[in-house]
Structure formats: structure tokens, C-alpha cells
Amino acid sequence: MANQSSAFNEPTAEQPGADKDAPLKEDIRLLGRLLGDVLRDQEGEEVYAVVETIRQTAVRFRREADAGAAKELDGMLKILTKEQTISVVRAFSYFSHLANIAEDQHHIRRRRAHLLAGSNPQQGSVNYALCKLKQAGVAQETVSTFFQEALISPVLTAHPTEVQRKSILDAEHDIARLLAERDLPLTPKETAANLHLLRARIATLWQTRMLRYSKLTVADEIENALSYYRITFLRELPGLYDDIEQDIAHHYGTSVQLDAPYVQMGSWIGGDRDGNPNVNGNTMSHALTRQATTILDFYLEEAHTLGAELSISTLMIACSPQLQALADQSPDTSDHRADEPYRRALIGIYARLASTARALGATNILRKEVGHAEPYADARAFATDLQVLIDSLNANHGSVLVQPRLATLKRAADIFGFHLASLDMRQSSDIHERVLAELFSTSGVQADYAALDEDAKVKLLLSELAQPRLLNSPYVNYSAETVSELGVLRAAREIRARYGSRAIRNYIISHTETVSDLLEVLLLQKELGLLRIAEKELDLMVIPLFETIPDLQRASGIMEAVMAIPLVKELIAKQGQIQEVMLGYSDSNKDGGFLTSNWELYKAETNLVTVFEKAGVKLRLFHGRGGTVGRGGGPSYDAILAQPHGTVNGQIRLTEQGEIIASKFSNKDIGRRNLELLVAATLEASLLPQPEDSEHSKQLRQFETIMAEISDRAYKAYRNLVYETPGFTDYFFTATPIAEIAELNLGSRPASRKSTKRIEDLRAIPWGFSWGQCRLLLPGWYGFASAIGGWIADGDKAERLAQLQAMFKHWPLFATLLSNMDMVLAKTDLAIASRYAELVQDKELRERIFKRITEEHANTISILESITGAGERLAGNPLLARSIQNRFAYLDPLNHLQVELIKRHRALSSESKADERVHRGIHLSINGVAAGLRNTG
């Protein structure tokens, strides 16, 4: 799009700090021009002109809130043909994707410029964290011990809002690489070639189907997740370990070698059965087979390349006896390599890896090995062989050859083993109860287990755990559910035997409400040999998941009671005196609102710390955070630093969900940065000394008292709107695209737990996703103004406002809460939301509900500004503010188009008709809006 009025030229409004963003604008202009060229070439001048007119009218609608512009836009969209509609939606959707690529590249560019300038360490880097720790007097020994004992684990999950197709991700990865290449010095010919390839990749993107036409399977989700390992984790995680060792040496003056794998990857994909009938023992086995194949493919490729690189001859330099022995075991007997022990050793390692890959389920080894060798017993044996090579090189003037490939391969073996990532198992507590009820009944132990009260259940479960016999019998025909659940545990036992103990080691219980919920899973493990009572050995740590507000309030009491049980005490001792607890952000938010959810999570954590300290058990928290702020999202670094004191201690796991996985890890440099942020935040939160003076404690107690009062008010305001206002459910299902989202082929799991039209039964993920699509993002802010405004009004206004300002300044929890809400409000748009409200045909209902929402929104902004002192959104993060503002010109048209398409779709549905192109247009717009907002579920 060559002319200056092009829909995809640089953003219309100049922003402060434009000099820093000049390269970003240049990239956006370039990508927009190339997309315009493709659009003209593929769809014609007429479609291009339509796109441009829609963009200009949408900009006028935004700037002026012009009723005339709204009417004009509405008329323009109504007369679009079905083919034009699809083309226009695709154009704006793809630009959202291209703008994201340009922004990621700009983040990388700015970070690199910072490092090249030799500036002070950036906040969020391990270098910065170590700087603070050293200044605070934290010794190197303490830091080294932290890394030897820590577990920091991002856990990838698949959810029903994961919009991206892998084909699109691959094409975008290529475009990102070519865009980065343009920052290098290029000759005119190289520049022209780069431009040609960029145009070709964008043309490929345009001709690639953005949507899935068939329902995503669990196997598809597994493959999607594995692509991020190839792009980012396999190389960047070992590289981060090396950087951290160098940073420690730089700050403390002594080199260290951190052997323990303190960052380990986790996954739910293939093991999360909660609400997903498609997950079973077979999907677990498939997940580990594909994971093992992925990591072994990497090892094989690296071993092959090392064999080419390490051409060292014993005619030139000696090698260690251990290396020579390893070479002599190689199936390679060629005289041509008789004096090249490293190559021969690596040929032998390759042969053993190939045999291991086949033994673990791989079906296609790209390069056939020279000869047969026995498979490795485990990944430790493989790592031991690599260490022989490293030791020999270090002892024979070859230290310079260890880095980067050999050391990285050894580090990868330590981190990923042969399993790649630990697969968590998850199931709902009510399923466990039904399975055990059947086992108790068929074995004659208890006719109606479900009817027992809690005390009777606990007594029966403990009695049965002490029995040497089993409840299940191969001669009984159980229900399909019981057969499946027992089969899942059997598969877990087989997977651990095949892939190692790190392959599966956690069993998470959704909807944990009682002590018996935990004991039931212990008994089920005993039934399948995963709990051996005589040895007090438990293979899978039983992890409660506390999700709703009442669950969070009960959490510490449940854990105190269960950890007092003698058997559980012994099992925890065998686990290394550590126990994990998972906290759910999504359901607690849908249940009680944004502010109350944050407060109840904070209280649950502080209460758990007290209970665990009393029991002498180390607490590891697993944070079930989502993509949106309404589901616990927001910057991970800030979130970890805002955790209550004593809740981190070098142990943390957290979920990475939906589109957030793509935005964080589809670019290796951005991925490396996000991994470092996790480590840096955990390091700071664990080791940085906390103020312990009485004045600080007194102030914290005052803050907590105020927060408790505010939370109670926010809870009532939120519940009153969402669950107690007549007609609100109808409003939500009509004024958001929730029904259309449920039809999308997004994930393998249904959008609702039950086939009802109740908000209570809707999963928290599509709940948040729907509010994001209509640009209200209500779960991320509603209830705040009612709570704060009411609390201020009930006292001395000036004094209470000053207290809130002090909380914002001195309390990380409150500061992070307001910062996240500020980001949500920056993405919220009432003018756009009003277009969705028009979908509600009942005028009285529409006006009544939307008026409440708009009033709360206005009050929220007013109160937020009075507390923070900032007169505009994201004043403390101008880069993000510019990013959001710049993309509105391309995002707004997608929302307007989505509303028009929903009108058409619902009109057809009311007549029992359907139009596939309208349906596809809605789904394309959902994809584009999700990409533009950069967080979805």
C-alpha cells in the first residue's frame, strides 16, 4: 500500500518518545505496505479501497464518538458482500499479527541497544537481581544454594481459547527472522532479496488458512506445544543457565558450576482430564512418546554435528583414558578415524541415542547409525558419556571447544532428560469419589461411600490405606469411567518405568474441598502400585487445587488437617519434606471478582505459610494463572515479587496458557527474556531481605485490614451484577460472542463443564475471552470502584484516600493489582462495547445493564487516577501505552465487523439457516481481535 493514506501505513497519531520508536514505525510501515501489495494483487483495488474507507471511518468513530460515523460505518458494513467481508476481516486480522511481530522485534532491538550501551542492569534480569542481592549483603554461598535447591517450572497448558494454528506460527516465525535480518548491514542486493522473501512470506500467510475446520485433538495440542521447544526452550534454557553462571562469577568474583536443573518445563497437555473426556491413558502415553521423540531428535542432531566439529586427532593431542575407552566401544571401526577418538565416541553416542529413541517410541530416525549399540538405561548415562568428552577436552587444552555446543548438549541432557517435560495429571475430585464408591461397593467394603459424612469417609479411607489387599479385581466388570480412571493410573506407572520418574510426578485434584479428596487419590494410587504402604513410597505427589473463593478460604485448614495424619507425614518426609499446593486464579475471579480474588489468594498464601512452618514442611505454590488479568494474568515478574513473604522460597510453578504461550515463546529472544524474568523474580522474592521492624509490620497490618474491608465490598458489588441482577445472564450471552466462541475449533476441551446456559457452569477461560472480544474486559476491573468509593465515603475522605495512596506506594500487592487494572482499562473501549450491547434486542435490559457497567467504568478510572496520580492510562509504561494506542486503528474495524457478522449469523440461525462464510468471518474476527489484544484466555 504505497500511498500515504494506506490502511496499513504507520499509526496516525504521533506519540511522545517517537524517536525511540522510529524503527518500530518503519517496520510496521514496511509490513503494512507489503500486506497492501499482497491485498491489491490477490483481491483487487476495490477490496483495498473498502479496507481503507472502513479504517478511516473507524478512526473517526474512535476520535469523535461520532454518531454520524457510527451510522455511516454501520451502513458500510451492512452492504459488504460475503466475499468482501471475509477479505476485509482477513486484512485487519493479518495486520494485527504482523504488528505483533514488529513489536517483538522492537523489544529485542531495544534490549540489545541497552546491553551494547553498557547501561546498568535492566530490571527483570538475573544480573539486576544479583546486583540487589549483593548490595543487600547476600553471600555467594546463599545464592549458589538457592540454585542447587530451587525448582522454577513454567507449565504449558492447552485451553479452549488457543486461537493460533501451527502453520500460521511457522509463517510468522519466518517473517520475524527476515525482519530481524534487516537490522544487519545488508548490501543493496541482499536488501532486495530480503524484501522479496518478506513479500513472499506475507503472500504465503495470506494464502494460508487461518482457521481450523476440524476440531483440535489432544494430539494436535501436543504438537503445537512441542513447536515452542524447537523454537525456544531446547537451546535458550541451557543458554540461560550459562549466562547465570557468568553473572554470578561477575558479581561475586568466583566461578560456579550449577549442576542442578533449577528450571524445568512442565506440561498439562495430554494429562489434564478435568472436563476433557478426550484425555486418557492413551493420550498420556502419546504425549510422552512425542516429547521423548522431540528431545531425542535434538540430541541426535547435536551429536551428529559435534561429530563433524570435533575432528581432534591423537596424533596432535592426547585424550583421557576414559574418552579412549568410550571411543573403543563405538560401532565405528573405520581406519580413517582410528586417530579421532572424539568422533568415534560421538558415533557410538549417536548409535546409543538412536537405539534409545526407538525403544521410547520414535519411528523415524533421520540418519541411520553406523552400527548397533545398546540403548541408554536413562538420561543420566547419556549425560555421563558427554561429561567424559568434556573432561577430556578440559584436560588436554580443549576447553575452548566445550562451548557452546557440547556444554549446551550436556546441560540439555540434565534439564530435559529423555522425557522433555514433566506431564502433570489432573482430575476433578467428584470423579475420584465416584470411582472409589464403585470400588467400595463391588468389593463389599461400603455400599454407599458417597452418602458418608466427611469424618466417616476419612476413617474408611485411612483404614483401607492400611490394608494390604486391593479393592479392584480383574474379574469385575466396572463402569467405563472407572475402567478409564484405573487405566490412567496404570499408564502413569508404565510411563514412569519407561521414561523415568521425572516424566510424571504430580497428580492435581481439581475442586479440592475436603481432606478426603486428597486421601482418595492416595488410595487410588495404592490400587495401581503407585503408593507402596510398607515402604512409605509415593510416586505421584498429591496436589490439591483450591479454586473458588470458599475453597481458598478452606485451604489452610485442609492442609493443616491432612499434614497431621501420620501416614501423610511419612509420605511428605519421603518427598523431601516438601508439599505443593495449587491455587486457581480463574475460577476465584469468576466466582468473586478481580479484587476479591486477589485478596483471597493473598490470604490463602499467608495462611498456608503459617500452617506449613508449623508442620516443618516446605511449601511450593503452583499458580494457575491465565492470560488475561481477570484470570490472574499480567506481568509474571511483578506478580512473583508481589507474593507474600515466605511463599516463594526458591519453589514456584505457574501455568502458561492460551495465546500467552505464543506471545512469550514463539520468538527465541523474547522467550529467553521471559524465562530469565521468572528466574530473576524468584531469586529476588526468595533471597532479598525483608524489612522486619515493628513499624513496617504495623503498616502491613493496617493495609491488610483496609484490603479486607474493600474486598468484602467488591465481592458484593461483583456478585450483585453477575449473579443477582435479573437478566444479566441473557445480556452476557447476547452482548458477547460467547455462543460463537463455543463453536470455534479452538481446543480439545468443551467451553462449558455442563450443557447449560448458566454462568456458574461456564469455564472461566471462555468467560474472560468473551469479555475481551467485546472490549469490556469486565472481569479485570468490575467492583473496584464500588468497593473503594463506598469505603472512602464511609470515613474521612482525605484520610482514606491518603491511606490508599500509601498502599499503592508501599505495598507490592496493591501496586501490582492497580497496575494490572490500569493495563486492562487501557484496552477497554466503551464505544466499541456499545456496539456489542446493541446485539441485545431487549432495550430495557440493554440500557439497564450497560448503564451500570459504564458508570462503574467511569468511577473506576476516576478513583484509579486519584490513587496513582496518573491522569492517563499506562503513564508508567509508555511503550505499552503507545503499543495499545497504535493498534486501535486496526483493531477497532475488526470489532465493528464482528458485530455485523454476529447480527447476520444470529438472524440466519433464528430462521434455522446457516451461511458458512458468515460463520468463518466471525471466527476470523475472533482470531484477529485476540491477536490485537495479545491476551485472550
Side-chain angles (χ1 to χ4, degrees), residues 645-934:
H645 180 55
T647 59
V648 181
N649 291 332
Q651 301 286 320
I652 190 167
R653 295 208 303 149
L654 68 168
T655 53
E656 299 287 5
Q657 301 179 358
E659 300 301 291
I660 296 302
I661 298 174
S663 68
K664 283 187 175 182
F665 302 117
S666 61
N667 179 294
K668 66 182 182 65
D669 296 300
I670 298 289
R672 172 84 155 256
R673 171 67 171 158
N674 279 298
L675 290 168
E676 184 176 7
L677 284 167
L678 287 181
V679 177
T682 308
L683 185 59
E684 284 187 54
S686 301
L687 299 186
L688 206 59
Q690 298 292 313
E692 293 184 358
D693 57 279
S694 58
E695 191 59 37
H696 176 267
S697 299
K698 179 182 175 183
Q699 184 186 54
L700 181 59
R701 286 194 298 273
Q702 289 174 343
F703 291 167
E704 290 173 342
T705 301
I706 293 169
M707 192 68 171
E709 293 179 32
I710 293 169
S711 172
D712 185 54
R713 293 171 183 265
Y715 180 78
K716 289 174 182 173
Y718 174 85
R719 296 279 305 183
N720 180 260
L721 175 73
V722 174
Y723 295 104
E724 297 166 9
T725 298
F728 182 82
T729 298
D730 291 334
Y731 178 91
F732 167 69
F733 275 91
T734 310
T736 75
I738 178 62
E740 290 73 22
I741 286 167
E743 297 168 3
L744 252 174
N745 294 312
L746 294 173
S748 68
R749 197 163 72 160
S752 289
R753 290 188 170 91
K754 300 175 184 176
S755 298
T756 68
K757 202 175 178 182
R758 296 173 71 244
I759 291 172
E760 290 88 342
D761 295 329
L762 188 68
R763 291 190 180 282
I765 302 154
W767 162 257
F769 190 63
S770 302
W771 288 114
Q773 287 286 312
C774 72
R775 301 285 289 281
L776 268 178
L777 293 95
L778 182 140
W781 56 269
Y782 194 90
F784 177 84
S786 295
I788 300 283
W791 182 77
I792 290 176
D794 284 352
D796 184 308
K797 294 181 181 179
E799 181 185 340
R800 290 198 164 188
L801 179 59
Q803 287 176 313
L804 293 167
Q805 290 168 339
M807 289 168 66
F808 174 67
K809 186 176 180 181
H810 299 294
W811 194 18
L813 173 75
F814 196 63
T816 300
L817 187 147
L818 264 58
S819 174
N820 285 339
M821 189 172 70
D822 189 27
M823 179 180 67
V824 168
L825 291 168
K827 295 182 178 183
T828 300
D829 191 293
L830 289 183
I832 297 290
S834 70
R835 301 297 311 279
Y836 285 85
E838 291 168 10
L839 294 168
V840 180
Q841 294 181 353
D842 184 333
K843 184 179 178 182
E844 186 278 329
L845 175 64
R846 176 177 71 239
E847 292 181 351
R848 175 164 53 86
I849 301 291
F850 195 66
K851 183 182 177 184
R852 282 187 64 179
I853 293 171
T854 55
E855 287 176 352
E856 181 77 6
H857 181 267
N859 292 335
T860 298
I861 289 176
S862 174
I863 291 171
L864 177 66
E865 291 178 353
S866 68
I867 295 172
T868 64
E872 56 186 31
R873 303 286 59 74
L874 295 172
N877 192 343
L879 181 62
L880 181 57
R882 291 193 295 273
S883 165
I884 291 172
Q885 190 65 35
N886 289 341
R887 65 183 58 221
F888 279 153
Y890 319 109
L891 188 56
D892 290 357
L894 283 168
N895 285 112
H896 291 294
L897 284 157
Q898 187 179 98
V899 171
E900 173 58 28
L901 286 163
I902 289 172
K903 286 179 183 176
R904 295 184 192 180
H905 176 62
R906 291 179 182 175
L908 288 166
S909 297
S910 67
E911 300 172 10
S912 301
K913 298 177 183 177
D915 188 313
E916 180 55 38
R917 286 167 297 184
V918 172
H919 203 246
R920 186 154 60 99
I922 293 172
H923 293 175
L924 284 165
S925 71
I926 288 171
N927 183 296
V929 172
L933 290 174
R934 297 215 83 171

Side-chain angles (χ1 to χ4, degrees), residues 178-195:
L178 290 163
L179 197 62
E181 193 178 274
R182 295 180 68 82
D183 282 348
L184 303 173
L186 299 177
T187 67
K189 281 188 176 181
E190 288 170 338
T191 301
N194 175 279
L195 195 64

Side-chain angles (χ1 to χ4, degrees), residues 47 53 73 100 108 110 138 212 241 280 298 363 403 438 442 521 529 663 694 702 712 737 827 855:
V47 170
T53 305
L73 190 62
N100 288 345
I108 295 164
R110 295 296 306 154
V138 177
R212 304 180 183 97
Y241 275 60
N280 51 41
F298 174 74
T363 56
Q403 293 285 0
E438 183 172 1
T442 56
V521 176
S663 68
S694 58
Q702 289 174 343
D712 185 54
K827 295 182 178 183
E855 287 176 352

Side-chain angles (χ1 to χ4, degrees), residues 444-466:
V445 173
Q446 172 58 241
D448 193 354
Y449 170 73
L452 298 177
D453 63 27
E454 174 63 9
D455 288 343
K457 283 181 179 177
V458 169
K459 183 178 179 181
L460 175 60
L461 291 166
L462 289 174
S463 171
E464 198 58 42
L465 281 164

Side-chain angles (χ1 to χ4, degrees), residues 1 73 90 106 285 330 336 383 394 499 534 541 579 617 634 743 761 799 812 828 906 918 931:
M1 296 186 173
L73 190 62
R90 292 183 72 220
H106 191 57
S285 298
S330 171
H336 297 297
N394 285 334
Y499 298 96
M541 183 186 287
Q579 174 62 44
V617 177
E743 297 168 3
D761 295 329
E799 181 185 340
T828 300
R906 291 179 182 175
V918 172

Side-chain angles (χ1 to χ4, degrees), residues 72-113:
E72 185 182 335
L73 190 62
D74 201 39
M76 195 183 307
L77 298 178
K78 279 181 178 175
I79 62 171
L80 286 178
T81 68
K82 292 166 185 174
E83 290 75 15
Q84 285 177 327
T85 303
I86 295 292
S87 295
V88 172
V89 170
R90 292 183 72 220
F92 284 111
S93 294
Y94 276 125
F95 187 79
S96 289
H97 287 257
L98 294 173
N100 288 345
I101 293 170
E103 283 191 5
D104 285 346
Q105 176 56 25
H106 191 57
H107 282 302
I108 295 164
R109 183 187 292 125
R110 295 296 306 154
R111 177 166 165 75
R112 184 166 177 77

Side-chain angles (χ1 to χ4, degrees), residues 425-444:
M425 300 169 66
R426 183 169 79 130
Q427 183 56 288
S428 178
S429 59
D430 55 343
I431 304 289
H432 302 141
E433 182 180 81
R434 288 204 297 267
V435 170
L436 277 173
E438 183 172 1
L439 292 179
F440 280 132
S441 176
T442 56
S443 62

